[in-house]
Amino acid sequence: MKAAVLETNRASPQGRGKTIASRLRRTWKELKQRRMLMLMVLPGLIYFFLFHYLPMYGILIAFKEFRMIAGTSFFENVYNADWVGLQHFRAFFENSNFLMLLKNTLLISILQLLIGFPVPILFALALNEIRFPLYKKFVQTVSYLPHFLSIVAIVGIMKLLLSPSDGIVNVLLHDWFGMEPRYYFGDSGWFRTLYVGSGVWQEFGFGAIVYLAAISKVDTQLYESAVMDGATRLRQIWHITLPALKTTIVVLLILNVSRMIGIGADKIVLMYSPATYETADVFSTYVYRRGLVDLDFSFGAAVGFFNSVVNVILLISSNFVSKKLTEESLY
């Protein structure tokens, strides 16, 4: 009876108002108790508001005929631009390059996922088996140093090594196997190999840090019990180490799948040329050329918006599938 009365009071407008007021007071009290933590979080919140949420106003130009007019602010230009609805989206889907861009984006993303995702896991498992601490630290340090090199430096190193005139790769292939020098950066068939391979080399050591941290939390008594039961090292990895990594692997896999359509343009722009467009051109590079080089801001915004929507759908779908199959999910 008492519970029914309380439920009736909550259902009334006055009851809902009191409930909301009590929640606000409780929230404010918790914020005051954790004010130092809130101050630490504040710079991050300001950053995301200024550079991630505030610019979302610019999405409107994907549905307008936007032109920059001298003497007026960006917000005024967006407000005064004429609405065109889905015109830019239709132009993009009807573009003769759409299927090629979709194919290239998906192929590069799938190759990155199939090759780049397992490598840090395997490297972390191998590194965990090293029994010499100094050697282990040395290998780990050397492996993640490339992560701190800029993309410009990475591409520059690749071009030096693969130069058709004096690159060490062509020199060795010519001297040892008698092969003629090849201009790899001008060969569309080699672009995906170079892009994915260099990305794996640059990131596998840094990516392994997360898995090593998860492995370090495994209770050593489990390994001792497994040894007493006669389990080999491979059995220990399969039945103890990998299950301990399950949650980490699933979360990172979901995040990687959600970025499949969002390949960045910076590295590809440094690597590609008109000769390799057929395998190298992706959504982001097309947006760069149409939106920034050709100054077609509305069309570029439309393609970027389509890109973001697909990534959100991939994130939600992969999280749903993961929750159903593995009972592990991002949220």
Side-chain angles (χ1 to χ4, degrees), residues 16 29 35 42 51 53 57 59 123 150 164 208 286 310 319:
R16 285 198 299 269
K29 184 179 179 180
R35 56 184 177 275
L42 188 60
F51 298 103
Y53 286 95
Y57 174 76
I59 292 175
F123 179 68
S150 68
Y286 189 68
V310 173
N319 189 76

Side-chain angles (χ1 to χ4, degrees), residues 35-49:
R35 56 184 177 275
M36 297 308 297
L37 291 175
M38 293 299 105
L39 286 175
M40 292 174 63
V41 173
L42 188 60
L45 294 176
I46 293 173
Y47 165 79
F48 277 100
F49 175 75

